[in-house]
Amino acid sequence: MISKFWNFVVRPKNPFSIVWLTFLFCEGRFEHPAGSYKKIFETCEDLAEALPATVTGRIPPFLKGSLLRLGPGLFEIGDEPFYHLFDGQALMHKFDFKNGQVTYFRKFIRTDAYVRAITEKRVVITEFGTFAYPDPCKNIFSRFFSYFKGVEVTDNCLVNVYPIGEDYYAVTETNYITKVNVETLETLKKVDMCNYVNINGVTAHPHIEKDGTVYNIGNCMGKGASLAYNIVRTPPTQKDKSDPIEKSKVVVQFPSAERFKPSYVHSFGMSENYFVFVETPVKINLLKFLSAWSIRGSNYMDCFESNESQGTLFHIAKKDPGEYIDVKFKGAAIGMFHHINTFEDQGFIVFDLCSWKGCFVYNYLWLANLRANWDEVKKAAMMAPQPEVRRYVIPLDVHKEEQGKNLVSLPYTTATATMHSDGTVWLEPEVLFSGPRQAFEFPQINYQKFSGKNYTYAYGLGLNHFIPDRICKLNVKTKETWVWQEPDSYPSEPLFVQTPEGVDEDDGVLLTIVAAPGSQRPAYLLILNAKDLSEVARAEVECSIPVTFHGMYKH
């Protein structure tokens, strides 16, 4: 099973798991002909009370908090299915650690989208890839006029959870965020960010500084009714106990390449002194978006378009005080969701991305595709963009007289930046990882100590033809990769937790939820040693757990 490319194998505690180190490819070595991955896209129910987990191995004593995760948990309402991976209704999961024992709890977030759907037994609010048809009980006239009440934006917060001040919010990518009690998982209130700052939505991937300051980005209407992108700063916990969200402010604005077509933005980069915004050619056609709702009825996916000939624009801005740097950095067209890390070094900004060479990847995440038989899953993935982990470098000191010369002088990267005659600086990346139809995605780092700093290690969820079937570690300096994998096991994004007395960057553990549909206990929390991905412990529960996207470890 181990090919000649694998030159070092770590033997884990579980005899069925494999951990390997390779210098070439982070490939999944398992096929999935039984299609058991389909189970992670099935509806589950709330839990009335926490379930005790069966622990094997030893839970590290420094784990005394909670692992919080978000994802879809309701994939149909009555006879009406949701069609896209990002449509299922938000379900929050929680693993609690206490005295070496683990419990598991989950609860649907009571968003308007969820409550109204359950009450009316149908899809009421249009989701990413599912259109909400008008109430069939209404007559044709009331249905017609309902189209002209404006766009009802979903609050289905299934993507991530993060702290603002002393509170915690479940989020998606719209203007609505939902305050939750992370102890009981009760839904507390819906917050509209449009009430506080000029944005149409915010990402589910903010940057959070050590003092609790939160930075996020969203598109907005700028000067002269043109599109732009605003960086929003929300301060940390206030001494007067007031809500930090009320003091949110725009700190800098990035221009948009097109007036009525903002780029899809999923995340952004932040170093100690700079913001990095990648404007990809994956666009949201606003005119199509508005007409879709007002005239014929459609979903968000119908409003995306991609023009690869436009390439990708890379924008930078100073952080404090906020100041846009008006230099045109450009590169070949990519799709991109997740930044890994951004740092400054010797007059350069270095930023690493999980990129996709080609069109919009969400086109390949329809639930019908993900639930197909393995041969069909592979066939569809062969038409999808090729994933790569890329490193880009932007020079802060640009001289127009240096045309045709590589402006990057950092000794450890092959990434280049070349001035063209029109004043554009063309960026070519260094590829840190590439495997055929094997993606290193949902990246994590030792964020607490190395966010915005020169770092060595990234951890990711390995996608095998879009099916999550392994955990990966990448040395971004040497390009070595480590892999954890077991047959018919489907993990989630790995979250890094630092060992309290740890000295090395990778002194810590990774936490991931693994679905193992064929097992007696079909899901478990897996704890891996972050150094070599060997198993430390697992906590198995007697219930299935669907796919989760993002989350956090709460100390």
Side-chain angles (χ1 to χ4, degrees), residues 246-263:
E246 296 177 357
K247 296 178 172 61
S248 298
K249 292 183 178 179
V250 174
V251 294
V252 71
Q253 187 170 95
F254 295 103
S256 173
E258 294 191 74
R259 185 165 186 176
F260 296 112
K261 295 179 181 179
S263 284

Side-chain angles (χ1 to χ4, degrees), residues 245-378:
I245 291 177
E246 296 177 357
K247 296 178 172 61
S248 298
K249 292 183 178 179
V250 174
V251 294
V252 71
Q253 187 170 95
F254 295 103
S256 173
E258 294 191 74
R259 185 165 186 176
F260 296 112
K261 295 179 181 179
S263 284
Y264 174 70
V265 184
H266 192 82
S267 65
F268 67 105
M270 188 176 84
S271 66
E272 184 178 354
N273 298 295
Y274 292 88
F275 300 112
V276 174
F277 164 51
V278 180
E279 190 177 15
T280 74
V282 177
K283 306 286 184 177
I284 304 167
N285 187 320
L286 283 189
L287 298 180
K288 188 184 294 185
F289 179 86
L290 294 172
S291 65
W293 261 266
S294 63
I295 299 173
R296 60 185 172 85
S298 192
N299 57 59
Y300 295 85
M301 280 291 292
D302 293 328
C303 303
F304 283 100
E305 57 187 51
S306 182
N307 183 352
E308 294 184 32
S309 65
Q310 292 180 337
T312 301
L313 294 177
F314 300 88
H315 302 271
I316 60 173
K318 290 182 180 177
K319 185 175 165 187
D320 188 18
E323 179 188 349
Y324 178 65
I325 298 174
D326 193 9
V327 178
K328 194 171 184 180
F329 299 100
K330 192 172 182 180
I334 59 170
M336 193 276 296
F337 304 107
H338 299 115
H339 282 253
I340 302 175
N341 199 14
T342 304
F343 61 91
E344 302 155 37
D345 189 11
Q346 303 173 54
F348 298 91
I349 300 176
V350 182
F351 55 103
D352 298 341
L353 313 172
C354 296
S355 71
W356 296 80
K357 297 165 62 177
C359 61
F360 195 39
V361 176
Y362 286 178
N363 289 328
Y364 297 88
L365 299 180
W366 296 100
L367 286 168
N369 295 348
L370 297 172
R371 290 167 171 160
N373 291 329
W374 180 236
D375 287 342
E376 294 301 314
V377 168
K378 289 195 294 182

Side-chain angles (χ1 to χ4, degrees), residues 41-266:
F41 309 115
E42 288 185 358
T43 290
C44 65
E45 297 179 345
D46 276 345
L47 291 178
E49 57 186 19
L51 298 178
T54 302
V55 175
T56 56
R58 178 173 176 267
I59 304 295
F62 63 86
L63 291 178
K64 299 176 181 178
S66 303
L67 173 65
L68 303 169
R69 301 286 303 170
L70 257 297
L74 187 70
F75 291 91
E76 64 282 316
I77 305 287
D79 295 330
E80 294 189 21
F82 289 109
Y83 293 106
H84 199 274
L85 179 60
F86 301 126
D87 294 346
Q89 297 301 290
L91 181 66
M92 180 171 274
H93 309 258
K94 181 165 73 100
F95 280 91
D96 281 325
F97 302 92
K98 188 175 181 180
N99 300 325
Q101 300 301 310
V102 180
T103 58
Y104 169 67
F105 187 51
R106 69 180 177 222
K107 187 178 285 288
F108 281 99
I109 297 179
R110 268 56 179 177
T111 61
D112 287 350
Y114 174 82
V115 172
R116 290 171 62 184
I118 293 297
T119 302
E120 299 187 32
K121 296 181 174 57
R122 65 186 185 90
V123 180
V124 178
I125 298 178
T126 292
E127 298 292 350
F128 200 77
T130 303
F131 173 64
Y133 289 94
D135 186 345
C137 296
K138 293 182 179 179
N139 65 42
I140 189 170
F141 296 105
S142 63
R143 277 185 280 163
F144 177 80
F145 285 112
S146 72
Y147 283 126
F148 295 91
K149 292 181 180 179
V151 177
E152 187 167 24
V153 177
T154 183
D155 62 343
N156 181 23
C157 48
L158 76 163
V159 183
N160 204 359
V161 57
Y162 61 83
I164 300 178
E166 296 180 348
D167 301 318
Y168 291 83
Y169 289 84
V171 298
T172 179
E173 298 185 317
T174 69
N175 51 301
Y176 295 118
I177 62 176
T178 302
K179 185 177 175 181
V180 292
N181 181 325
V182 293
E183 300 303 322
T184 64
L185 303 192
E186 294 295 324
T187 304
L188 300 178
K189 70 174 181 178
K190 173 179 172 179
V191 175
D192 184 353
M193 290 299 296
C194 290
N195 292 336
Y196 306 102
V197 284
N198 176 24
I199 47 89
N200 298 321
V202 290
T203 78
H205 292 287
H207 282 285
I208 303 176
E209 296 188 316
K210 287 184 172 61
D211 69 351
T213 300
V214 178
Y215 290 93
N216 212 333
I217 190 171
N219 65 57
C220 66
M221 294 307 294
K223 296 178 181 178
S226 61
L227 277 168
Y229 309 87
N230 281 342
I231 296 280
V232 175
R233 179 186 184 273
T234 302
T237 303
Q238 303 295 288
K239 291 182 180 179
D240 62 2
K241 300 299 181 182
S242 61
D243 188 349
I245 291 177
E246 296 177 357
K247 296 178 172 61
S248 298
K249 292 183 178 179
V250 174
V251 294
V252 71
Q253 187 170 95
F254 295 103
S256 173
E258 294 191 74
R259 185 165 186 176
F260 296 112
K261 295 179 181 179
S263 284
Y264 174 70
V265 184
H266 192 82

